[in-house]
Amino acid sequence: MAQETMDAIRRAETAAEATERAAADEAEKIIAGAKAQAEKLEADMTKSAREKAAKAEEKARHRAEQMLSDADGESERELADLRAAAVERQPRAVEEMIAELF
């Protein structure tokens, strides 16, 4: 009877050790899976952030180009207006210069 009890205890200990090893292996698999998911999530989030930054940069670049184009057009219009005003005033300026000379 004592031998049977000792054998039952050994079997129980062996089963407990096997269960413990299986649980440790399962825990390692779960941790490895979680790390892999975290790495993928980090990579996906980094990629998404880079894409958003690139789109924002492109949008800002386009807006800056548009602003420069608008400013260039405005400058051209102002220059044309100044030239037209100069042409319009030229005869009077010539007359005034001639009047002052004589």
Side-chain angles (χ1 to χ4, degrees):
M1 173 113 163
Q3 185 62 37
E4 290 175 9
T5 303
M6 294 295 284
D7 289 343
I9 292 172
R10 284 190 187 109
R11 284 192 302 272
E13 287 175 346
T14 302
E17 288 172 359
T19 302
E20 186 180 341
R21 282 192 302 274
D25 290 344
E26 184 66 23
E28 286 182 26
K29 288 177 184 177
I30 291 170
I31 290 170
K35 284 182 180 178
Q37 285 180 342
E39 289 172 358
K40 184 179 183 324
L41 179 62
E42 179 184 14
D44 290 347
M45 290 176 74
T46 300
K47 180 182 176 186
S48 177
R50 284 187 178 143
E51 288 172 353
K52 286 180 182 178
K55 286 179 183 177
E57 181 182 6
E58 182 61 30
K59 186 176 179 180
R61 181 176 290 120
H62 179 70
R63 186 166 182 243
E65 288 172 356
Q66 185 63 45
M67 290 172 72
L68 287 172
S69 176
D70 291 348
D72 189 43
E74 182 64 26
S75 295
E76 290 295 326
R77 283 188 293 277
E78 287 178 10
L79 182 58
D81 290 347
L82 288 173
R83 285 184 178 152
V87 167
E88 184 179 310
R89 293 180 184 153
Q90 184 178 7
R92 184 169 180 218
V94 170
E95 289 175 11
E96 287 180 9
M97 289 178 69
I98 292 173
E100 283 196 25
L101 290 174
F102 298 106

